[in-house]
Amino acid sequence: REALAVTARLCAPELESYGRCVAASPGSWHRDCHQLSLSVTSCASNHPLVRRIRQDCSDSFGAFERCLRERPRAAAECSPHVSQFLLCAHNVTQRDSPRDTPAGQSGGG
């Protein structure tokens, strides 16, 4: 969630434009909104935590993208893939988050 929050904070205009495009093009968003998707990706990839999530969670995100391509009119059917990706992203943010180590301990790893 932190990475999504970081992305939302850093890339709010891009995400908003992409979201509007997807909502306006339910049957063809994957084609019509491709350039906006790239702008979100480009914006997000500038943040180290997001880069780490993209690297560590590429399998689950790829499965989600594949599901969306195969079911362009039934994106809700891809929610298990979203859950897998969010779980992976959460694990990455927790692993990389210094806030979770008790005060006085230096984080190893």
Side-chain angles (χ1 to χ4, degrees), residues 1 4 7 13 16 19-20 26 36 39 42 44 51 61 65 68 73 78-79 88 91 93 99 102:
R1 291 176 196 207
L4 296 176
T7 301
E16 195 172 316
R20 274 196 300 254
L36 292 170
S39 70
S42 174
R51 272 192 294 233
F61 189 71
E65 286 188 316
L68 288 177
R73 296 179 191 273
C78 301
S79 61
C88 178
N91 289 339
T93 58
R99 281 183 275 146

Side-chain angles (χ1 to χ4, degrees), residues 1 3-4 53 57 84-94:
R1 291 176 196 207
L4 296 176
I53 289 170
C57 304
Q84 283 293 93
F85 171 70
L86 292 176
L87 179 62
C88 178
H90 176 75
N91 289 339
V92 170
T93 58
Q94 293 306 303

Side-chain angles (χ1 to χ4, degrees), residues 6-85:
V6 166
T7 301
R9 189 168 60 246
L10 296 175
C11 306
E14 291 86 349
L15 281 169
E16 195 172 316
S17 296
Y18 180 59
R20 274 196 300 254
C21 181
V22 169
S25 308
S28 60
W29 64 266
H30 53 284
R31 184 178 56 248
D32 296 347
C33 308
H34 181 70
Q35 197 59 44
L36 292 170
S37 170
L38 294 178
S39 70
V40 172
T41 301
S42 174
C43 176
S45 67
N46 291 322
H47 193 280
L49 182 58
V50 176
R51 272 192 294 233
R52 181 71 181 269
I53 289 170
R54 286 178 54 88
Q55 177 184 341
D56 291 5
C57 304
S58 62
D59 290 346
S60 57
F61 189 71
F64 168 59
E65 286 188 316
R66 217 170 17 261
C67 179
L68 288 177
R69 276 195 306 274
E70 293 167 0
R71 300 170 180 83
R73 296 179 191 273
E77 293 178 20
C78 301
S79 61
H81 298 290
V82 174
S83 299
Q84 283 293 93
F85 171 70

